[in-house]
Amino acid sequence: DVKVTQSSRYLVKRTGEKVFLECVQDMDHENMFWYRQDPGLGLRLIYFSYDVKMKEKGDIPEGYSVSREKKERFSLILESASTNQTSMYLCASNPSTGGIQPQHFGDGTRLSIL
Amino acid sequence: AQSVAQPEDQVNVAEGNPLTVKCTYSVSGNPYLFWYVQYPNRGLQFLLKYITGDNLVKGSYGFEAEFNKSQTSFHLKKPSALVSDSALYFCAVTMNSGGYQKVTFGTGTKLQVIP
C-alpha cells in the first residue's frame, strides 16, 4: 500500500518565519504535488515535481518554494510566512503513467500563522 | 483550460436511501475522471476512476459513477447510503495531453447521511 507521510499534522508559526513542510512517499513515484485546501475553494495546486530536482509552478506558487533533492522527499517552503497562508496543506504522489493513475495523499498539515 | 463543477456544497440523504453526488466537467479532449473521499482530518482517498471503456465504473465501498459524455457529467452514486459514508467528496479531471497532465479538482461536496 502506498504511504505518503507528512511530517507534521499541526503546526503553529509566526508571521515572517521561514516554514518547512516535509513529505515522504514510499512507492518510488515520479510525480509529487503540494496543494492547499481552503473551505469553498477545493484543492489548489501550489507546486509539483516530476523528477528529482525538477519543479513546476502550479496555480498559486506566490510566497512558496519547493525542494526535491531525493525522489521520495518533496519539501514545501514558506519563505516568509503570512497570515493568509494559514491553511491545510496536502502532499500527494503518483507514478508517471500519463495521468491514468490516481494521486495518493498524505493526511495533511494544518498550518496556522499567527 | 479544464474545469470541474460540483454544484452542491452539501447533500443530505437518509440512511438506506440512494445517494447521488453531482459532477460536471469541461475539457478540450478526452477526460480522465476521478472521485476521491476525504474524512475529517485526513487526506483524500481514491474511490474510482473513468479512463475509457464502460461508462459505468465501480469503485470502493459500493460506490459507482456513470460517465456521460453528452452531458459532460460524472455523477457519483450509491444504492444504499450508510452513516459512515458521511464525508467530503471531490471530483477531479485530467486529460492525456502529453507530458505532465494537470489535475483539476472540484470544490467538494459534503455528504451527510442521516440515521
Side-chain angles (χ1 to χ4, degrees):
Chain A
D1 222 14
V2 177
K3 191 158 181 65
V4 179
T5 302
Q6 295 184 231
S7 54
S8 304
R9 293 297 302 276
Y10 301 93
L11 208 52
V12 180
K13 296 292 182 180
R14 297 210 172 270
T15 303
E17 280 192 71
K18 191 169 186 176
V19 180
F20 294 84
L21 302 184
E22 306 287 346
C23 175
V24 177
Q25 51 97 0
D26 65 358
M27 282 300 292
D28 204 36
H29 286 166
E30 292 81 13
N31 299 329
M32 295 189 75
F33 310 86
W34 276 106
Y35 296 92
R36 64 177 282 177
Q37 181 180 8
D38 299 290
L41 297 177
L43 272 68
R44 292 181 291 168
L45 181 65
I46 304 171
Y47 268 96
F48 70 94
S49 169
Y50 53 88
D51 202 350
V52 175
K53 297 190 185 297
M54 305 304 290
K55 61 185 179 184
E56 293 286 344
K57 293 180 179 179
D59 299 318
I60 52 165
E62 296 79 17
Y64 303 94
S65 63
V66 290
S67 173
R68 193 165 180 201
E69 296 296 318
K70 294 184 178 182
K71 191 173 186 179
E72 67 270 19
R73 186 180 297 270
F74 193 36
S75 303
L76 179 70
I77 304 153
L78 286 65
E79 297 291 344
S80 177
S82 63
T83 55
N84 63 11
Q85 292 178 309
T86 291
S87 187
M88 169 72 97
Y89 289 87
L90 293 168
C91 176
S93 72
N94 72 348
S96 182
T97 52
I100 64 174
Q101 294 301 330
Q103 295 183 13
H104 298 265
F105 285 82
D107 281 339
T109 296
R110 191 167 292 280
L111 176 64
S112 296
I113 307 296
L114 304 179
Chain B
Q2 61 192 38
S3 64
V4 175
Q6 293 183 242
E8 300 153 320
D9 291 336
Q10 181 158 337
V11 170
N12 297 323
V13 63
E15 186 177 24
N17 282 3
L19 70 87
T20 299
V21 182
K22 295 180 180 177
C23 172
T24 58
Y25 66 90
S26 174
V27 297
S28 56
N30 292 320
Y32 298 156
L33 293 154
F34 301 82
W35 275 103
Y36 293 85
V37 60
Q38 185 181 33
Y39 298 102
N41 298 314
R42 301 296 301 275
L44 279 67
Q45 296 177 32
F46 168 70
L47 275 180
L48 50 80
K49 65 181 180 182
Y50 172 81
I51 303 299
T52 187
D54 193 350
N55 289 343
L56 183 66
V57 293
K58 295 184 184 296
S60 307
Y61 312 120
F63 284 93
E64 58 188 30
E66 185 165 11
F67 171 64
N68 187 316
K69 190 171 184 177
S70 63
Q71 297 187 5
T72 61
S73 67
F74 189 58
H75 300 331
L76 181 70
K77 299 183 180 185
K78 187 174 182 181
S80 178
L82 300 172
V83 172
S84 57
D85 293 329
S86 298
L88 189 57
Y89 290 81
F90 289 94
C91 182
V93 66
T94 186
M95 54 181 285
N96 187 1
S97 59
Y100 167 68
Q101 293 77 32
K102 179 184 175 181
V103 178
T104 300
F105 288 85
T107 53
T109 298
K110 183 178 181 180
L111 174 67
Q112 191 79 29
V113 181
I114 303 160

